[in-house]
């Protein structure tokens, strides 16, 4: 047993397709088996030793399927016997079984793996049995976080040291490379760059510079100050123009004040004149309105009289028309004949009344409803009598264990008629007898002496329905007696129904006779009234002539009144038009004055011009002339005001409100002060830029040094790659190509620190702009931005080709060889020299020729890696071979499945001997 750290044996028990598997990992080996036999399953289990996060492991199937595959049983085990810093130790993984979702738990104990601890002959021991046997070897669980620390040698209790990293922070990179090596997946140059940086991070001065974080405040301040200086210099001419315009505006304002005072005096005089004219028109309207009121009163009296006569004439005409109508109606009417007819109808009516007297008074609908209820009850009792043995009451009495009192209470709440329902075909189908009885007992238990109470409602005994009498269901004779009583009652109701139907017919005939009598009475009464009214027709016609003559006289008087009323209204309308004109003139005056803006009061009263000294100082002028002059002065003032505001807004916009004060005067004062401080601002800005450059130099120099260090590491890697023969290639190397544009910017900043930058002129402006561009374009600058990485090969003819990724370089065998060597070299860069032996898996080596395969194995040996290769056919690339064969889908792999090459004669490639002929079993 070698003393070098690393896994020495891999053991699987009831895991995957393996009932038992044990292979040695301290030297290269070759798994020989047909496809889908379990080669990859066996070696992929290495991930459970080296990777702490199951989510980051790589398997051919989903993670849930993988757990079910490896840990199908509670006694499924994967174990690694390892030589650690402190001796032999077993690191294992046990299945938790389907009850815990096919999860798994890592464990570890001191000492070597002994088959008897886990197997009793060929039978797997339970975990309880295994744990008992291992208690004296410090058996303990190993969580994922503990595995990580144990692998790198930082765990305080479990010390493995199987992954002796130069820096513990690179464990994630180790996991990525180890997993990637297992499947030899695509490795782009961008990922390789990140790996190179992580692998060498402990030797790099700096891998990133956060320019935004470190210099943003200084740069923002400098940029702001520069903008202020530039803006202020640009607006100096605008400030002078604004001040001149403001002076002109103030002079125009004084002139407006003088004209405004003159306007006030003229407007008051005009308003007084218009008001006096308006009051005269109002007085005229009032006088005319009083006279019109008398005329309107007489008009009302005439209208009332005319309406009264029209109404009397209409009534008289209606009476005469009614007489005409009756005369026409009764022209053929024989009163004696109609009286004899009425006598006959009266005799018929009295006969019908006498015949109805002896009939019942019951209501037809009520009797019919009672008969329907009796028939329904009769049918239910007959059915109950016929099916009493199958009735619900009999079923419940026999099977529910409820007393008659309980059943009476329960069905008083449900419905008593349900006790008569037949149980079985064409009746109630009891699907859950126990559930039905339980529910009935629950209802019965809710009764007490006070009434009914459950979780949802309480009913006092006074409102509960009367419970049914279950005794009747025990005596068929009582049921038969009830049937007989119902039959008798039904007969009585049927007879009564016939009588009621006959009464309805007689009542209809009686009512028809009564209606005819009443109609004849009305006709005879109307005939008598007409004969009496016809005697006063002449008097009615004479009265109508008198009414119509008086009505004509009243209409003539109303027409005269109308002419007088219209004349007064016309005079009032004219007075109102005069008022309207005066009001319109007053309103027009008001609008003209309201449309005027009062003179601006920005000037103090003490600074206003003396009207006697103004060019507008004149005597009294017409109001319209004063209005014209005021508009002219106001327009002049507005023009100067707008020009001043435009200049100030332009300055405010150009300076982004930097000099805006609480008012115009303070704003102008701020602009003057800023202009006077312009030279001091320029000096402060220069000093600030120099501080930024010095800070940039320090951080960018560290980043530049890191780039140089990384290039040295790539050169070291290239020297190692150059020592390996890969296929027929003359060479393989990694090429570092700097980002010339970005690196040039960085070098420029580094040069500025050693040369005077801020000497003024165009060169200084260009330098400052370059710094600004760097900060704007690269707020965060990372080492990987400074270069790109490519793979370059050289064939036997000296031709060179470049590739961006380890995907497809030349043949598949060449690509696979390059991938393996690159991954091993990167892993070796992570690890301390010769501290541990790490196995890795290389599947389907049939794609590799003997030269490349032997080269990979030899390269791995020299770097302390143990290659585990697999293919369907045996090859003599390594000394130890394991042959896998399945029996009924299950595999047992142990020393009897192993062969070792006897290399006493290197020319005999078929010198394969079974274990036992060359190497004995353990």
């Amino acid at each position: 047993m070698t003393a070098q750290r690393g896994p020495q044996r891999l053991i699987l028990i009831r895991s995957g397709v393996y009932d038992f598997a044990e292979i040695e990992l301290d030297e290269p080996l070759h798994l020989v088996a047909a496809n889908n036999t379990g080669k990859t399953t066996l070696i992929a289990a290495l991930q459970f030793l080296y990777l702490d996060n199951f989510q980051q492991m790589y398997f051919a199937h989903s993670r849930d399927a993988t757990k079910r595959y490896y840990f199908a049983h509670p006694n499924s085990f994967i174990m690694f016997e390892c030589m650690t810093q402190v001796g032999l130790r077993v690191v294992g993984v046990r299945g938790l079984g389907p009850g815990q979702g096919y999860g798994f738990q890592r464990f570890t104990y001191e000492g070597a793996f002994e088959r008897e601890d886990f197997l009793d002959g060929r039978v797997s021991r339970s975990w309880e049995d295994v744990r008992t046997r291992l208690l004296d070897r410090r058996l303990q669980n190993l969580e994922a976080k503990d595995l990580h620390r144990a692998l790198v040698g930082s765990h305080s209790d479990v010390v493995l040291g199987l992954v002796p990293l130069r820096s513990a922070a690179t464990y994630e990179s180790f996991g990525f490379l180890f997993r990637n090596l297992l499947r030899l997946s695509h490795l782009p140059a961008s990922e390789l760059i990140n790996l190179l940086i992580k692998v060498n991070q402990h030797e790099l001065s700096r891998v990133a510079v956060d320019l935004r974080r470190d210099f943003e405040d200084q740069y923002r301040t400098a940029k702001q100050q520069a903008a202020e200086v530039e803006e202020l210099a640009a607006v100096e001419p605008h400030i002078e123009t604004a001040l001149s315009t403001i002076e002109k505006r103030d002079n125009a304002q004084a002139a407006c004040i003088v004209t405004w005072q003159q306007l006030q005096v003229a407007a008051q005089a005009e308003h007084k004149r218009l008001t006096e004219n308006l009051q005269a028109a109002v007085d005229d309207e009032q006088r005319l309105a009083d006279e019109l009121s008398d005329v309107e009163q007489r008009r009302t009296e005439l209208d009332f009289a005319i309406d009264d006569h029209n109404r009397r004439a209409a009534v008289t005409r209606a009476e005469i028309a009614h007489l005409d109508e009756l005369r026409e109606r009764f022209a053929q009417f024989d009163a004696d004949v109609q009286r004899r007819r009425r006598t006959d109808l009266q005799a018929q009516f009295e006969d019908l009344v006498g015949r109805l007297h002896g009939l019942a008074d019951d209501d037809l609908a009520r009797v019919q409803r009672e008969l329907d209820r009796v028939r329904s009850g009769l049918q239910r009792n007959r059915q109950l009598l016929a099916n009493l043995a199958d009735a619900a009451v009999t079923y419940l009495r026999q099977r529910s264990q409820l007393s008659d009192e309980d059943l009476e209470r329960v069905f008083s709440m449900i419905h008593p008629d349900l006790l008569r329902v037949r149980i079985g075909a064409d009746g109630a189908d009891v699907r859950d007898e126990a559930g039905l009885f339980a529910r009935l007992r629950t209802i019965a238990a809710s009764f007490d002496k006070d009434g009914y109470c459950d979780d949802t409602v309480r009913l006092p005994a006074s409102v509960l329905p009367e419970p049914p009498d279950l005794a009747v269901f025990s005596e068929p004779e009582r049921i038969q007696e009830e049937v007989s009583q119902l039959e008798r009652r039904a007969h009585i109701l049927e007879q009564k129904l016939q009588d009621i139907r006959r009464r309805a017919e007689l009542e209809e005939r009686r009512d028809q006779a009564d209606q005819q009598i009443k109609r004849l009475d009305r006709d005879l009464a109307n005939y008598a009234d007409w004969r009496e009214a016809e005697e006063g027709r002449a008097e009615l016609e004479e009265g109508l002539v008198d009414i119509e003559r008086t009505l004509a006289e009243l209409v003539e008087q109303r027409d005269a009144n109308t002419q007088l009323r219209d004349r007064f209204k016309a005079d009032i309308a004219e007075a109102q038009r005069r008022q309207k004109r005066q009001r319109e003139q007053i309103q027009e005056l008001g609008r003209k004055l309201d449309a005027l803006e009062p003179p601006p009061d920005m000037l103090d009263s003490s600074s206003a011009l003396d009207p006697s000294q103004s060019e507008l100082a004149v005597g009294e002028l017409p109001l319209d002339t004063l209005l014209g002059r005021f508009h002219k002065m106001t327009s002049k003032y507005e023009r100067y005001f707008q020009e001043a505001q435009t200049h100030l807004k332009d300055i405010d916009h150009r300076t982004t409100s930097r000099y805006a004060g609480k008012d115009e005067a303070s704003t102008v004062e701020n602009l003057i002060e800023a202009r006077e401080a312009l030279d001091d601002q320029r000096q402060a800005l220069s000093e600030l830029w120099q501080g930024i450059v010095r800070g940039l130099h320090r951080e960018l120099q560290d980043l530049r040094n890191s780039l140089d260090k990384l290039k040295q590491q790539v050169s070291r890697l290239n020297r190692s790659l150059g020592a390996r023969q890969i296929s027929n290639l003359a060479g393989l190397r990694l090429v570092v190509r700097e980002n010339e544009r970005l690196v040039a910017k960085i070098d420029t900043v580094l040069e500025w620190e050693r040369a005077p930058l801020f000497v003024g002129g165009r060169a200084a402006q260009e330098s400052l702009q370059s710094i600004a561009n760097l900060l704007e374009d690269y707020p965060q600058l990372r080492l990987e931005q400074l270069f790109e990485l490519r793979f370059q090969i050289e064939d036997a003819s000296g031709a060179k080709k470049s590739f961006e990724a380890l995907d497809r370089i030349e043949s598949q065998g060449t690509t696979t060889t390059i991938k393996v060597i690159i991954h091993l070299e990167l892993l070796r860069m992570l690890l301390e020299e010769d501290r541990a032996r790490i196995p890795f898996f290389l599947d389907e080596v049939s794609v590799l020729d003997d030269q490349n395969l032997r080269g990979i194995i030899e390269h791995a040996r020299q770097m302390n890696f143990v290659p585990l290769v697999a293919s369907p056919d045996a090859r003599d690339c390594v000394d130890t071979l394991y042959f896998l064969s399945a029996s009924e889908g299950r595999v047992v792999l142990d020393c009897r499945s192993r062969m070792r090459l006897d290399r006493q004669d290197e020319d005999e490639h078929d010198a394969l001997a079974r274990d036992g002929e060359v190497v004995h079993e353990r």
Side-chain angles (χ1 to χ4, degrees):
M1 179 183 297
T2 179
Q4 191 174 26
R5 277 180 277 169
Q8 298 198 141
R9 284 193 288 170
L10 166 62
I11 304 97
L12 274 69
I13 299 176
R14 297 195 72 188
S15 179
V17 299
Y18 294 94
D19 287 335
F20 180 83
E22 177 184 345
I23 61 173
E24 296 181 351
L25 300 176
D26 54 355
E27 60 182 355
L29 61 84
H30 186 185
L31 297 178
V32 182
N35 291 330
N36 298 320
T37 305
K39 305 188 299 296
T40 304
T41 296
L42 183 63
I43 304 303
L46 283 169
Q47 296 177 93
F48 289 103
L49 175 63
Y50 284 105
L51 302 180
D52 63 344
N53 188 346
F54 180 70
Q55 301 299 321
Q56 295 178 354
M57 298 182 189
Y58 169 74
F59 298 98
H61 301 285
S62 70
R63 291 181 175 83
D64 287 340
T66 298
K67 288 192 293 184
R68 286 196 299 270
Y69 178 76
Y70 277 107
F71 307 109
H73 312 285
N75 52 356
S76 296
F77 293 94
I78 300 175
M79 289 172 287
F80 306 89
E81 181 188 89
C82 304
M83 176 58 69
T84 70
Q85 291 175 269
V86 293
L88 282 177
R89 176 178 284 275
V90 173
V91 177
V93 187
R94 67 181 183 91
L96 301 179
Q100 299 190 46
Y102 300 98
F104 59 86
Q105 172 67 57
R106 290 186 176 88
F107 63 91
T108 182
Y109 62 89
E110 295 178 350
F113 166 77
E114 298 294 342
R115 179 170 178 162
E116 294 76 12
D117 291 332
F118 293 86
L119 294 172
D120 183 4
R122 293 186 177 181
V123 178
S124 298
R125 297 183 186 275
S126 69
W127 174 244
E128 294 298 327
D129 190 8
V130 172
R131 184 168 60 181
T132 301
R133 298 174 66 89
L134 297 178
L135 285 178
D136 60 344
R137 280 173 270 181
R138 298 187 64 190
L139 172 68
Q140 58 183 297
N141 286 338
L142 194 61
E143 301 299 332
K145 58 183 178 60
D146 298 323
L147 176 64
H148 178 176
R149 291 188 292 142
L151 287 172
V152 300
S154 62
H155 196 282
S156 59
D157 190 13
V158 180
V159 180
L160 298 177
L162 301 179
V163 185
L165 298 171
R166 298 175 185 269
S167 171
T170 59
Y171 176 76
E172 182 180 349
S173 299
F174 168 82
F176 172 81
L177 288 169
F178 186 82
R179 183 174 63 252
N180 221 39
L181 185 59
L182 181 66
R183 54 179 175 161
L184 288 179
S185 62
H186 178 61
L187 181 62
S190 59
E191 185 64 38
L192 182 57
I193 289 174
N194 291 328
L195 285 171
L196 283 171
I197 293 174
K198 290 180 180 179
V199 166
N200 297 281
Q201 189 164 4
H202 61 286
E203 298 184 16
L204 302 178
S205 303
R206 188 183 296 272
V207 297
V209 175
D210 194 334
L211 299 179
R212 173 167 293 171
R213 181 195 63 199
D214 297 340
F215 297 100
E216 184 175 22
D217 291 342
Q218 299 178 56
Y219 173 65
R220 187 188 298 113
T221 301
K223 188 175 181 181
Q224 181 179 350
Q225 291 183 6
E228 291 175 1
V229 170
E230 182 179 354
E231 289 170 358
L232 185 58
V235 298
E236 279 186 295
H238 299 276
I239 294 174
E240 296 299 334
T241 302
L243 292 175
S244 175
T245 305
I246 289 172
E247 183 179 2
K248 295 177 182 178
R249 179 202 64 194
D250 293 344
N251 290 333
Q253 179 188 14
C256 285
I257 292 174
V258 172
T259 307
W260 176 263
Q261 294 170 349
Q262 295 174 345
L263 268 173
Q264 298 306 306
V265 174
Q268 290 175 1
E270 180 66 10
H271 186 272
K272 180 180 179 182
R273 183 184 68 82
L274 293 173
T275 302
E276 291 174 349
N277 293 339
L278 174 61
Q279 187 59 47
V282 170
D283 294 342
D284 289 344
E285 180 187 4
Q286 184 60 45
R287 176 181 54 78
L288 293 169
D290 292 341
E291 296 178 1
L292 177 61
S293 177
D294 296 338
V295 174
E296 292 285 359
Q297 179 63 32
R298 176 57 184 162
R299 172 61 178 261
T300 301
E301 295 172 354
L302 291 171
D303 286 341
F304 180 79
I306 291 172
D307 290 343
D308 180 60
H309 281 73
N310 278 327
R311 183 172 61 258
R312 289 168 57 193
V315 170
T316 303
R317 292 189 189 96
E319 290 177 356
I320 294 172
H322 181 63
L323 291 175
D324 293 340
E325 180 183 351
L326 291 176
R327 176 185 294 175
E328 181 179 357
R329 177 180 173 185
F330 292 113
Q332 304 297 326
F333 187 80
D334 189 337
D336 294 336
V337 172
Q338 297 301 323
R339 289 187 188 98
R340 286 193 299 273
R341 182 183 175 201
R342 184 195 183 286
T343 300
D344 294 341
L345 287 172
Q346 182 66 33
Q348 181 182 356
F349 173 78
E350 290 174 356
D351 178 63
L352 291 171
V353 170
R355 294 170 64 184
L356 286 169
H357 182 68
L359 296 180
D361 293 331
D362 288 323
D363 178 68
L364 177 64
R366 187 189 65 77
V367 174
Q368 182 66 55
R369 287 195 299 271
E370 184 179 358
L371 178 60
D372 291 342
R373 285 196 298 270
V374 170
R375 288 172 176 172
S376 177
L378 183 61
Q379 181 182 5
R380 288 197 303 272
N381 278 281
R382 286 171 176 168
Q383 290 177 349
L384 175 61
L385 191 62
N387 302 316
L388 184 59
D390 297 328
V393 62
T394 305
Y395 168 77
L396 293 173
R397 277 175 161 175
Q398 294 174 354
R399 305 176 68 89
S400 69
Q401 298 181 356
L402 289 168
S403 67
D404 282 2
E405 182 181 2
D406 288 338
L407 289 173
E408 288 174 353
R409 287 180 171 180
V410 169
F411 281 89
S412 69
M413 291 294 292
I414 302 176
H415 200 295
D417 285 347
L418 292 177
L419 291 169
R420 304 170 181 269
V421 174
R422 176 182 176 145
I423 302 298
D426 301 327
D429 181 14
V430 179
R431 299 182 180 179
D432 181 1
E433 183 178 78
L436 171 62
F437 293 163
R439 183 173 297 180
L440 295 177
R441 283 194 289 272
T442 299
I443 298 175
S446 299
F447 283 91
D448 56 25
K449 62 184 181 62
D450 297 325
Y452 176 84
C453 179
D454 61 19
D455 293 337
T456 62
V457 68
R458 178 170 185 82
L459 300 173
S462 60
V463 303
L464 293 176
E466 187 70 24
D469 182 9
L470 262 67
V472 71
F473 297 101
S474 303
E475 302 173 7
E477 295 79 5
R478 291 183 60 180
I479 300 175
Q480 181 60 53
E481 176 61 26
E482 186 174 349
V483 169
S484 299
Q485 292 176 0
L486 290 173
E487 288 174 343
R488 290 192 294 271
R489 179 59 180 166
H491 178 73
I492 293 172
L493 291 173
E494 288 170 352
Q495 183 63 41
K496 183 180 290 188
L497 195 62
Q498 291 178 1
D499 292 344
I500 292 173
R501 289 196 178 107
R502 184 182 178 191
R503 187 190 69 177
E505 179 183 352
L506 295 176
E507 284 179 343
E508 183 178 359
R509 290 171 58 190
R510 180 200 65 190
D511 293 342
Q512 290 176 354
D514 184 55
Q515 290 175 3
Q516 291 176 5
I517 290 171
K518 290 178 181 179
R519 186 164 55 250
L520 283 173
D521 286 344
R522 286 195 301 270
D523 289 345
L524 289 169
N526 288 334
Y527 177 78
D529 291 342
W530 169 67
R531 296 295 299 173
E532 181 180 355
E534 186 67 24
E535 295 176 358
R537 173 186 287 272
E539 184 180 353
L540 287 174
E541 291 175 346
E542 291 175 0
L544 179 61
V545 171
D546 292 340
I547 291 172
E548 289 177 342
R549 182 173 60 253
T550 303
L551 181 62
E553 294 174 356
L554 290 172
V555 171
E556 183 178 356
Q557 295 176 25
R558 187 178 64 180
D559 291 343
N561 179 275
T562 299
Q563 293 178 1
L564 182 60
R565 185 189 63 178
D566 291 344
R567 187 171 67 252
F568 279 119
K569 286 184 177 181
D571 293 342
I572 291 174
E574 176 59 29
Q576 290 175 343
R577 284 192 291 273
R578 286 165 52 203
Q579 295 176 46
K580 181 179 179 183
R581 286 195 298 271
Q582 299 306 312
R583 288 192 178 96
E584 288 176 349
Q585 292 177 13
I586 292 173
Q587 291 174 356
E588 179 63 22
L589 175 62
R591 282 195 295 270
K592 289 180 179 179
L593 296 177
D594 291 341
L596 300 177
E597 291 287 341
D601 56 358
M602 293 179 61
L603 289 176
D604 295 335
S605 58
S606 59
S607 61
L609 294 180
D610 184 353
S612 62
Q613 298 176 359
S614 171
E615 61 178 354
L616 298 177
V618 294
E620 293 186 2
L621 294 174
L623 181 61
D624 289 341
T625 302
L626 290 174
L627 285 171
R629 286 181 176 271
F630 183 76
H631 283 303
K632 180 179 179 181
M633 291 299 101
T634 302
S635 298
K636 188 175 182 181
Y637 166 80
E638 289 292 341
R639 185 175 71 253
Y640 288 142
F641 178 83
Q642 291 299 330
E643 289 178 2
Q645 291 299 309
T646 300
H647 292 311
L648 291 176
K649 287 181 180 178
D650 182 52
I651 294 170
D652 187 71
H653 175 72
R654 290 173 181 269
T655 60
T656 61
S657 302
R658 188 169 292 108
Y659 304 104
K662 63 181 181 180
D663 53 25
E664 179 185 287
S666 59
T667 299
V668 173
E669 183 179 354
N670 291 340
L671 289 171
I672 295 172
E673 291 177 354
R675 182 182 57 182
E676 293 174 351
L678 185 58
D679 291 339
D680 293 339
Q681 291 183 20
R682 288 193 177 111
Q683 179 61 31
L685 178 61
S686 176
E687 294 173 357
L688 181 58
W689 277 119
Q690 291 180 14
I692 293 175
V693 170
R694 285 192 294 270
L696 278 172
H697 180 273
R698 287 190 299 271
E699 298 197 6
L700 294 180
Q701 184 63 61
D702 288 344
L703 197 63
R704 192 67 169 86
N705 293 340
S706 296
L707 176 59
D708 293 339
K709 181 65 178 179
L710 203 61
K711 291 166 67 176
Q712 293 175 10
Q713 292 298 93
V714 172
S715 297
R716 175 185 171 190
L717 180 60
N718 283 334
R719 288 194 295 272
S720 179
L721 293 175
R724 311 298 173 192
Q725 179 62 43
I726 302 173
S727 298
N728 61 345
L729 300 179
L732 168 67
R733 62 193 300 267
L734 298 177
V735 178
V736 176
R737 293 183 180 177
E738 292 184 354
N739 184 337
E740 295 181 357
R741 180 172 174 271
L742 180 54
V743 172
K745 287 187 175 184
I746 293 175
D747 290 342
T748 299
V749 174
L750 297 179
E751 289 296 326
W752 287 342
E753 177 65 15
R754 295 185 290 272
L757 291 178
F758 301 94
V759 295
R762 184 178 181 84
Q765 292 299 321
E766 292 177 353
S767 300
L768 295 177
Q769 186 59 45
S770 297
I771 295 174
N773 292 340
L774 182 64
L775 296 177
E776 290 287 348
D777 296 342
Y778 301 96
Q780 291 180 329
L781 193 58
R782 299 181 303 278
L783 180 58
E784 56 264 32
Q785 293 177 269
L786 303 186
F787 69 100
E788 62 179 17
L789 200 62
R790 297 180 69 85
F791 302 96
Q792 186 183 83
I793 63 170
E794 182 179 354
D795 59 21
S797 66
K800 296 180 180 180
K801 296 181 181 179
S802 182
F803 301 88
E804 294 184 355
L806 286 176
D807 186 17
R808 183 70 179 176
I809 301 178
E810 299 298 311
S811 66
Q812 185 177 355
T814 299
T815 300
T816 301
T817 302
I818 293 174
K819 285 182 179 180
V820 173
I821 292 176
I822 290 293
H823 279 77
L824 294 180
E825 289 289 351
L826 292 175
L827 281 170
R828 180 48 49 190
M829 292 176 69
L830 290 172
L831 302 169
E832 295 182 0
E833 296 290 341
D834 301 329
R835 292 283 300 277
R837 180 185 67 257
I838 298 179
F840 72 94
F841 182 43
L842 185 59
D843 198 4
E844 301 301 334
V845 297
S846 56
V847 301
L848 300 173
D849 58 23
D850 288 344
Q851 177 185 355
N852 282 330
L853 182 56
R854 291 181 184 277
I856 289 175
I857 294 173
E858 180 60 26
H859 188 65
R861 284 177 182 273
Q862 293 177 7
M863 291 192 294
N864 222 23
F865 292 101
V866 179
L868 312 177
V869 301
S871 66
D873 301 318
R875 298 173 66 175
D876 63 347
C877 55
V878 297
D879 294 342
T880 302
L881 298 91
Y882 284 87
F883 290 84
L884 281 69
S885 60
S887 175
E888 297 181 357
R890 305 299 297 171
V891 177
V892 174
L893 183 66
D894 54 21
C895 57
R896 290 172 295 180
S897 307
R898 181 177 61 198
M899 288 185 177
R900 289 191 174 165
L901 289 179
D902 183 357
R903 294 191 181 275
Q904 295 177 359
D905 187 354
E906 293 293 338
D907 293 332
E908 297 180 4
H909 295 294
D910 57 345
L912 295 175
R914 282 286 178 187
D915 205 36
E917 298 176 5
V918 179
V919 177
H920 296 287
E921 293 183 15
R922 291 177 177 236

